Amino acid sequence: MSNNKLLILIVEDDNAISNFISAMLTSNNYHVIMTQSGRGAVSNIASHCPDLVLLDLGLPDIDGLEVLKSIRQWTGVPVIVVSARGHEREKVEALDLGADDYVTKPFGTSELLARIRTALRHYNSNKASSQTDSGKRTVGDLEINYEKRMVILKGTEIHLTPIEYKIIVLLSRHMGKVLTHDFIIREVWGPYANERQALRVNMANIRRKLEINPAEPKYIMTEVGVGYRMIDGEIGH
Ligand code: CA
Protein backbone atom coordinates (compact mmCIF):
# COMPACT_ATOMS: atom_id res chain seq x y z
CA MET A 1 0.00 0.00 0.00
CA SER A 2 1.70 3.17 -1.13
CA ASN A 3 1.24 6.30 0.85
CA ASN A 4 0.83 8.80 -1.91
CA LYS A 5 -2.41 7.39 -3.28
CA LEU A 6 -5.47 9.42 -2.43
CA LEU A 7 -8.19 7.80 -0.36
CA ILE A 8 -11.81 8.01 -1.48
CA LEU A 9 -14.77 6.96 0.67
CA ILE A 10 -17.75 5.60 -1.27
CA VAL A 11 -21.04 5.93 0.63
CA GLU A 12 -23.58 3.86 -1.29
CA ASP A 13 -26.10 1.20 -0.25
CA ASP A 14 -26.41 -0.33 -3.72
CA ASN A 15 -23.66 -2.94 -4.01
CA ALA A 16 -23.67 -3.05 -7.78
CA ILE A 17 -23.02 0.69 -7.96
CA SER A 18 -20.40 0.82 -5.22
CA ASN A 19 -18.50 -2.14 -6.67
CA PHE A 20 -18.53 -0.53 -10.07
CA ILE A 21 -17.27 2.81 -8.74
CA SER A 22 -14.70 1.09 -6.56
CA ALA A 23 -13.25 -0.90 -9.46
CA MET A 24 -13.08 2.22 -11.58
CA LEU A 25 -11.34 4.26 -8.89
CA THR A 26 -8.91 1.48 -8.02
CA SER A 27 -7.87 1.12 -11.64
CA ASN A 28 -7.30 4.89 -11.67
CA ASN A 29 -4.88 4.72 -8.77
CA TYR A 30 -7.08 5.71 -5.87
CA HIS A 31 -7.44 3.86 -2.61
CA VAL A 32 -11.05 3.11 -1.80
CA ILE A 33 -13.06 2.39 1.31
CA MET A 34 -16.80 1.74 1.24
CA THR A 35 -19.74 2.00 3.54
CA GLN A 36 -23.44 1.39 2.98
CA SER A 37 -24.94 3.58 5.68
CA GLY A 38 -25.01 7.15 6.89
CA ARG A 39 -23.63 6.23 10.29
CA GLY A 40 -20.85 4.32 8.57
CA ALA A 41 -20.12 7.44 6.53
CA VAL A 42 -19.72 9.64 9.59
CA SER A 43 -17.53 7.18 11.47
CA ASN A 44 -15.35 6.39 8.43
CA ILE A 45 -14.78 10.06 7.70
CA ALA A 46 -13.76 10.61 11.30
CA SER A 47 -11.49 7.58 11.55
CA HIS A 48 -9.91 7.42 8.06
CA CYS A 49 -9.86 11.12 7.05
CA PRO A 50 -10.45 10.36 3.35
CA ASP A 51 -9.30 12.87 0.72
CA LEU A 52 -12.74 12.88 -0.89
CA VAL A 53 -16.20 11.45 -0.25
CA LEU A 54 -18.73 10.21 -2.81
CA LEU A 55 -22.06 10.47 -1.04
CA ASP A 56 -25.28 8.80 -2.13
CA LEU A 57 -28.28 10.65 -0.69
CA GLY A 58 -30.75 7.77 -0.38
CA LEU A 59 -29.27 5.73 2.47
CA PRO A 60 -31.03 3.17 4.68
CA ASP A 61 -30.45 4.81 8.08
CA ILE A 62 -29.71 8.55 7.90
CA ASP A 63 -30.51 10.69 4.89
CA GLY A 64 -27.37 11.71 2.96
CA LEU A 65 -28.24 15.39 3.48
CA GLU A 66 -28.18 14.84 7.25
CA VAL A 67 -24.79 13.16 6.93
CA LEU A 68 -23.53 16.18 5.02
CA LYS A 69 -24.92 18.63 7.56
CA SER A 70 -23.32 16.72 10.39
CA ILE A 71 -19.83 16.31 8.89
CA ARG A 72 -19.69 19.92 7.69
CA GLN A 73 -19.60 20.97 11.34
CA TRP A 74 -16.08 19.62 11.64
CA THR A 75 -14.56 18.82 8.24
CA GLY A 76 -14.06 20.52 4.90
CA VAL A 77 -13.33 17.24 3.08
CA PRO A 78 -14.49 17.51 -0.56
CA VAL A 79 -17.89 15.83 -0.97
CA ILE A 80 -19.43 14.90 -4.31
CA VAL A 81 -23.07 13.97 -4.02
CA VAL A 82 -24.37 11.14 -6.17
CA SER A 83 -27.98 11.87 -6.90
CA ALA A 84 -30.82 10.49 -9.01
CA ARG A 85 -31.97 12.28 -12.11
CA GLY A 86 -34.72 14.83 -11.60
CA HIS A 87 -33.97 15.52 -7.95
CA GLU A 88 -32.98 19.14 -8.50
CA ARG A 89 -34.18 20.35 -5.12
CA GLU A 90 -32.01 17.74 -3.43
CA LYS A 91 -28.96 18.88 -5.40
CA VAL A 92 -29.58 22.51 -4.47
CA GLU A 93 -29.94 21.59 -0.82
CA ALA A 94 -26.77 19.48 -0.92
CA LEU A 95 -24.77 22.32 -2.49
CA ASP A 96 -26.13 24.80 0.04
CA LEU A 97 -25.15 22.42 2.84
CA GLY A 98 -21.58 22.43 1.59
CA ALA A 99 -21.33 19.69 -1.04
CA ASP A 100 -18.64 20.52 -3.58
CA ASP A 101 -20.38 19.04 -6.59
CA TYR A 102 -22.85 16.42 -7.67
CA VAL A 103 -23.11 13.78 -10.35
CA THR A 104 -26.39 12.45 -11.61
CA LYS A 105 -27.05 8.71 -11.92
CA PRO A 106 -26.41 7.15 -14.35
CA PHE A 107 -23.07 8.87 -14.89
CA GLY A 108 -20.15 8.19 -17.18
CA THR A 109 -16.77 7.06 -15.88
CA SER A 110 -14.86 9.96 -17.35
CA GLU A 111 -17.37 12.48 -16.01
CA LEU A 112 -17.03 11.15 -12.48
CA LEU A 113 -13.22 11.07 -12.67
CA ALA A 114 -13.13 14.64 -13.98
CA ARG A 115 -15.38 15.85 -11.18
CA ILE A 116 -13.20 14.11 -8.60
CA ARG A 117 -10.03 15.70 -9.99
CA THR A 118 -11.70 19.12 -10.04
CA ALA A 119 -12.95 18.85 -6.45
CA LEU A 120 -9.53 17.71 -5.21
CA ARG A 121 -7.77 20.49 -7.10
CA HIS A 122 -10.09 23.16 -5.67
CA TYR A 123 -9.68 21.87 -2.19
CA ASN A 124 -5.91 21.98 -2.43
CA SER A 125 -5.71 25.33 -4.18
CA ASN A 126 -8.14 26.87 -1.68
CA LYS A 127 -5.96 25.64 1.15
CA ALA A 128 -2.85 27.02 -0.55
CA SER A 129 -4.18 30.40 -1.60
CA SER A 130 -6.94 31.35 0.79
CA GLN A 131 -4.95 34.41 1.89
CA THR A 132 -2.64 35.11 -1.02
CA ASP A 133 -5.21 35.28 -3.78
CA SER A 134 -3.57 35.68 -7.16
CA GLY A 135 -4.51 38.78 -9.12
CA LYS A 136 -6.29 37.08 -11.98
CA ARG A 137 -7.89 33.94 -13.35
CA THR A 138 -8.01 32.81 -16.95
CA VAL A 139 -10.05 30.22 -18.76
CA GLY A 140 -9.75 29.80 -22.52
CA ASP A 141 -9.65 33.27 -24.09
CA LEU A 142 -11.21 34.86 -21.03
CA GLU A 143 -9.24 36.68 -18.36
CA ILE A 144 -10.71 38.01 -15.11
CA ASN A 145 -8.28 40.53 -13.66
CA TYR A 146 -9.20 41.28 -10.04
CA GLU A 147 -6.50 43.88 -9.53
CA LYS A 148 -7.52 45.99 -12.51
CA ARG A 149 -11.19 45.07 -12.05
CA MET A 150 -11.37 44.10 -15.70
CA VAL A 151 -12.74 41.22 -17.72
CA ILE A 152 -10.84 40.69 -20.94
CA LEU A 153 -11.90 38.48 -23.84
CA LYS A 154 -9.29 37.77 -26.53
CA GLY A 155 -7.34 40.83 -25.44
CA THR A 156 -10.31 43.20 -25.49
CA GLU A 157 -11.91 44.59 -22.36
CA ILE A 158 -15.58 43.67 -21.93
CA HIS A 159 -17.76 46.48 -20.62
CA LEU A 160 -19.78 45.25 -17.67
CA THR A 161 -22.15 46.78 -15.15
CA PRO A 162 -21.00 46.52 -11.51
CA ILE A 163 -23.50 43.70 -10.87
CA GLU A 164 -22.38 41.77 -13.94
CA TYR A 165 -18.78 42.15 -12.82
CA LYS A 166 -19.61 40.89 -9.32
CA ILE A 167 -21.35 37.82 -10.74
CA ILE A 168 -18.40 36.95 -12.99
CA VAL A 169 -15.91 37.43 -10.17
CA LEU A 170 -17.97 35.18 -7.91
CA LEU A 171 -18.23 32.43 -10.53
CA SER A 172 -14.54 32.69 -11.39
CA ARG A 173 -13.47 32.44 -7.76
CA HIS A 174 -15.36 29.12 -7.66
CA MET A 175 -14.33 28.01 -11.12
CA GLY A 176 -15.56 24.51 -11.95
CA LYS A 177 -18.06 24.49 -9.11
CA VAL A 178 -21.83 24.82 -9.37
CA LEU A 179 -23.13 27.85 -7.49
CA THR A 180 -26.82 27.74 -6.60
CA HIS A 181 -29.17 30.60 -7.51
CA ASP A 182 -29.67 31.47 -3.84
CA PHE A 183 -25.93 31.49 -3.15
CA ILE A 184 -25.21 33.85 -6.05
CA ILE A 185 -28.09 36.15 -5.07
CA ARG A 186 -26.94 36.26 -1.45
CA GLU A 187 -23.34 37.01 -2.40
CA VAL A 188 -24.14 39.64 -5.02
CA TRP A 189 -27.26 41.38 -3.71
CA GLY A 190 -27.13 40.57 0.00
CA PRO A 191 -28.78 38.17 2.46
CA TYR A 192 -32.38 39.35 2.21
CA ALA A 193 -32.56 39.85 -1.54
CA ASN A 194 -34.98 37.99 -3.75
CA GLU A 195 -33.53 38.69 -7.14
CA ARG A 196 -34.12 35.58 -9.23
CA GLN A 197 -35.44 37.55 -12.15
CA ALA A 198 -32.57 40.04 -11.91
CA LEU A 199 -30.08 37.19 -11.83
CA ARG A 200 -31.59 35.68 -14.97
CA VAL A 201 -31.50 39.02 -16.77
CA ASN A 202 -27.93 39.75 -15.71
CA MET A 203 -26.80 36.29 -16.73
CA ALA A 204 -28.38 36.70 -20.17
CA ASN A 205 -26.53 40.02 -20.56
CA ILE A 206 -23.24 38.52 -19.39
CA ARG A 207 -23.59 35.73 -21.91
CA ARG A 208 -24.34 38.13 -24.72
CA LYS A 209 -21.11 39.94 -23.91
CA LEU A 210 -18.95 36.88 -23.22
CA GLU A 211 -20.12 34.12 -25.43
CA ILE A 212 -19.76 33.95 -29.20
CA ASN A 213 -22.88 31.83 -29.30
CA PRO A 214 -24.96 32.46 -26.12
CA ALA A 215 -27.11 29.41 -26.92
CA GLU A 216 -24.00 27.20 -26.67
CA PRO A 217 -22.02 28.84 -23.88
CA LYS A 218 -18.31 28.09 -23.58
CA TYR A 219 -17.64 29.74 -20.23
CA ILE A 220 -20.73 29.78 -18.03
CA MET A 221 -22.94 26.71 -18.02
CA THR A 222 -26.53 26.56 -16.80
CA GLU A 223 -27.22 23.74 -14.36
CA VAL A 224 -30.96 23.40 -14.90
CA GLY A 225 -32.98 23.95 -11.74
CA VAL A 226 -29.80 24.40 -9.69
CA GLY A 227 -27.61 27.33 -10.70
CA TYR A 228 -24.56 28.21 -12.78
CA ARG A 229 -21.03 26.92 -13.20
CA MET A 230 -18.03 28.59 -14.80
CA ILE A 231 -16.03 25.92 -16.54
CA ASP A 232 -12.46 25.50 -15.36
CA GLY A 233 -10.97 24.14 -18.52
CA GLU A 234 -11.45 20.47 -17.76
CA ILE A 235 -15.18 20.04 -17.33
CA GLY A 236 -16.97 21.04 -20.50
CA HIS A 237 -20.22 19.82 -21.95
CA1 CA B 1 -29.18 4.65 -2.38
Side-chain angles (χ1 to χ4, degrees):
M1 201 156 139
S2 90
N3 286 324
N4 49 19
K5 284 189 182 180
L6 296 172
L7 179 66
I8 297 183
L9 171 65
I10 303 171
V11 185
E12 170 65 73
D13 60 329
D14 182 328
N15 276 329
I17 297 177
S18 55
N19 288 336
F20 166 74
I21 299 176
S22 168
M24 187 225 313
L25 293 179
T26 306
S27 69
N28 280 276
N29 256 333
Y30 293 103
H31 278 311
V32 171
I33 46 175
M34 297 192 267
T35 179
Q36 300 187 322
S37 68
R39 282 194 190 86
V42 175
S43 68
N44 273 286
I45 292 165
S47 57
H48 292 279
C49 301
D51 295 290
L52 184 136
V53 179
L54 293 176
L55 179 65
D56 178 29
L57 294 182
L59 297 168
D61 55 348
I62 318 173
D63 188 83
L65 291 172
E66 291 302 319
V67 172
L68 188 59
K69 207 186 287 178
S70 139
I71 63 160
R72 272 296 173 258
Q73 293 171 10
W74 49 270
T75 175
V77 60
V79 174
I80 298 178
V81 159
V82 180
S83 161
R85 194 170 295 283
H87 292 198
E88 266 68 29
R89 188 175 302 187
E90 226 175 44
K91 294 175 191 166
V92 171
E93 213 177 324
L95 292 166
D96 283 338
L97 285 172
D100 295 81
D101 204 350
Y102 62 80
V103 289
T104 304
K105 291 179 194 171
F107 46 81
T109 304
S110 53
E111 184 193 358
L112 180 61
L113 289 170
R115 297 230 188 272
I116 289 173
R117 282 193 299 271
T118 301
L120 289 167
R121 196 165 55 235
H122 287 170
Y123 183 63
N124 291 322
S125 69
N126 285 346
K127 270 201 305 199
S129 68
S130 57
Q131 297 304 321
T132 58
D133 216 337
S134 75
K136 63 179 182 180
R137 299 291 303 260
T138 54
V139 53
D141 293 324
L142 187 67
E143 175 187 323
I144 300 104
N145 192 313
Y146 307 124
E147 267 162 24
K148 297 181 185 159
R149 300 181 60 81
M150 277 167 69
V151 175
I152 299 150
L153 183 65
K154 289 186 175 168
T156 307
E157 184 185 356
I158 307 281
H159 294 284
L160 299 165
T161 67
I163 292 281
E164 290 165 1
Y165 177 76
K166 273 175 103 168
I167 293 171
I168 292 179
V169 166
L170 184 67
L171 286 164
S172 70
R173 290 205 187 273
H174 298 88
M175 224 173 242
K177 187 172 173 178
V178 187
L179 303 185
T180 64
H181 298 124
D182 284 349
F183 177 81
I184 299 173
I185 290 165
R186 208 161 54 230
E187 294 291 314
V188 171
W189 282 277
Y192 305 108
N194 181 10
E195 301 284 353
R196 288 232 165 185
Q197 182 57 21
L199 175 58
R200 242 191 312 271
V201 170
N202 275 280
M203 203 56 86
N205 291 336
I206 288 170
R207 283 196 167 135
R208 230 183 14 247
K209 297 175 183 184
L210 242 57
E211 305 280 0
I212 293 158
N213 178 2
E216 282 177 49
K218 259 176 75 182
Y219 297 111
I220 300 173
M221 316 305 296
T222 298
E223 301 283 330
V224 177
V226 179
Y228 299 95
R229 180 203 305 266
M230 183 175 277
I231 65 142
D232 76 343
E234 183 170 27
I235 293 176
H237 280 242

